[in-house]
Amino acid sequence: MNLDNQSKYLIGRIISDKRDKTVTVRIDRKVKHPLYGKIITRSKKYHAHDEHNQYKVGELVAISEISPVSKTKSWRVIEAVKIS
């Protein structure tokens, strides 16, 4: 994965591909509870631009920040990430 020239990127899983040229990507992060110390999962959803509608639900992808494409889309799918 060549992300050297990208400004900001995140890795997450596609949870929806129902819209044209748009996928919804969920980014999970683990944080420690401030009082109890338990590790909990926080997640956030981003809408990312997928020009050729080539990515499907369940794929792990890298997304990069771009100038806004629409009201809710300011991310673009770079590539599918291979888990090794």
Side-chain angles (χ1 to χ4, degrees), residues 31-42:
V31 295
K32 188 175 183 180
H33 191 279
L35 178 61
Y36 301 114
K38 182 178 179 178
I39 303 298
I40 53 178
T41 302
R42 298 283 188 203

Side-chain angles (χ1 to χ4, degrees), residues 24-77:
T24 303
V25 180
R26 187 182 70 216
I27 307 296
D28 292 328
R29 61 188 179 92
K30 296 192 183 295
V31 295
K32 188 175 183 180
H33 191 279
L35 178 61
Y36 301 114
K38 182 178 179 178
I39 303 298
I40 53 178
T41 302
R42 298 283 188 203
S43 63
K44 187 167 181 183
K45 292 190 270 188
Y46 294 95
H47 300 293
H49 187 65
D50 175 17
E51 182 66 35
H52 303 293
N53 291 321
Q54 61 185 355
Y55 300 103
K56 301 299 174 199
V57 174
E59 288 187 70
L60 195 64
V61 295
I63 59 175
S64 172
E65 196 170 31
I66 58 171
S67 60
V69 178
S70 69
K71 180 181 174 182
T72 59
K73 274 199 304 189
S74 59
W75 294 84
R76 157 178 76 87
V77 179

